[in-house]
Amino acid sequence: MHQLYVITKDQALATQKNVIETILASGVDWLQYRRKNAPLEEKLQDLTWLKQACALSETRLIVNDSIELARLAGIESVHLGQSDLEGLPFSSIKDTFPHIRFLGITAKTIEQAQKAAVYGADYLGVGAIYPSSTKTDAIGIQQETLTHIKEATHLPLYLIGGISPQGITNDLKTIAHGFVVCDYIYSHPSPSDAIKALKEKCAD
């Protein structure tokens, strides 16, 4: 059984609350809060609601990009991109920031993955697997590279980038621990049907 990891849209929570409620009611494993340019107070209000909603559904809530936002919101899980690591000491992030107890890091190369392991990553977000409308400038990654990253670190890999049920192939499932989805669910006429189809592929 592969895990399903959903990222929120980078937009006001009020415009997607119904979709998020459907996502959580469908029993996904992870929900990452991604919001780039909103005021801090608005982000904290979003996370107050999301913490309660995720606790009820037993879904792990992860804050995207910001160790400080996670601290202020009282959330122990964070996902960092490569740019978020700049300026941090090259040592365990969980030792440096004790409020962080669960850490994901984006890695696109073996070197980045090995460094993520030194930072204390619990999993790696790896992609783009397919072209993505969420990140149109994302660089694709070859399956051979995915295999090398997995062999080099032995960390769980969560594959991201244009993921749909059709894209969850048996070859990818031999490499992945889970699949990360945003646009397929949000753009689908029925988010609940979209999640059902994804979960069926993850369960095969």
Side-chain angles (χ1 to χ4, degrees), residues 23-71:
I23 290 167
L24 295 178
S26 299
V28 303
D29 300 287
W30 314 65
L31 184 73
Q32 183 189 122
Y33 174 71
R34 184 175 186 269
R35 193 84 195 275
K36 296 293 187 179
N37 299 314
L40 175 60
E41 187 59 36
E42 185 174 332
K43 292 179 182 179
L44 291 174
Q45 289 174 358
D46 289 351
L47 287 168
T48 296
W49 183 82
L50 286 169
K51 278 176 66 176
Q52 295 173 344
C54 286
L56 290 172
S57 66
E58 299 183 348
T59 298
R60 183 185 289 274
L61 177 61
I62 299 180
V63 174
N64 176 261
D65 285 353
S66 177
I67 291 172
E68 179 63 8
L69 178 59
R71 184 187 70 81

Side-chain angles (χ1 to χ4, degrees), residues 53-117:
C54 286
L56 290 172
S57 66
E58 299 183 348
T59 298
R60 183 185 289 274
L61 177 61
I62 299 180
V63 174
N64 176 261
D65 285 353
S66 177
I67 291 172
E68 179 63 8
L69 178 59
R71 184 187 70 81
L72 292 172
I75 295 170
E76 64 181 19
S77 302
V78 68
H79 183 94
L80 302 178
Q82 287 296 308
S83 62
D84 304 313
L85 300 173
E86 295 174 5
L88 295 180
F90 189 43
S91 61
S92 170
I93 286 174
K94 285 177 278 189
D95 287 345
T96 307
F97 304 96
H99 66 284
I100 298 301
R101 302 184 65 182
F102 193 84
L103 175 66
I105 293 179
T106 298
K108 296 179 178 291
T109 65
I110 295 172
E111 181 184 16
Q112 289 177 354
Q114 291 172 329
K115 287 183 176 180

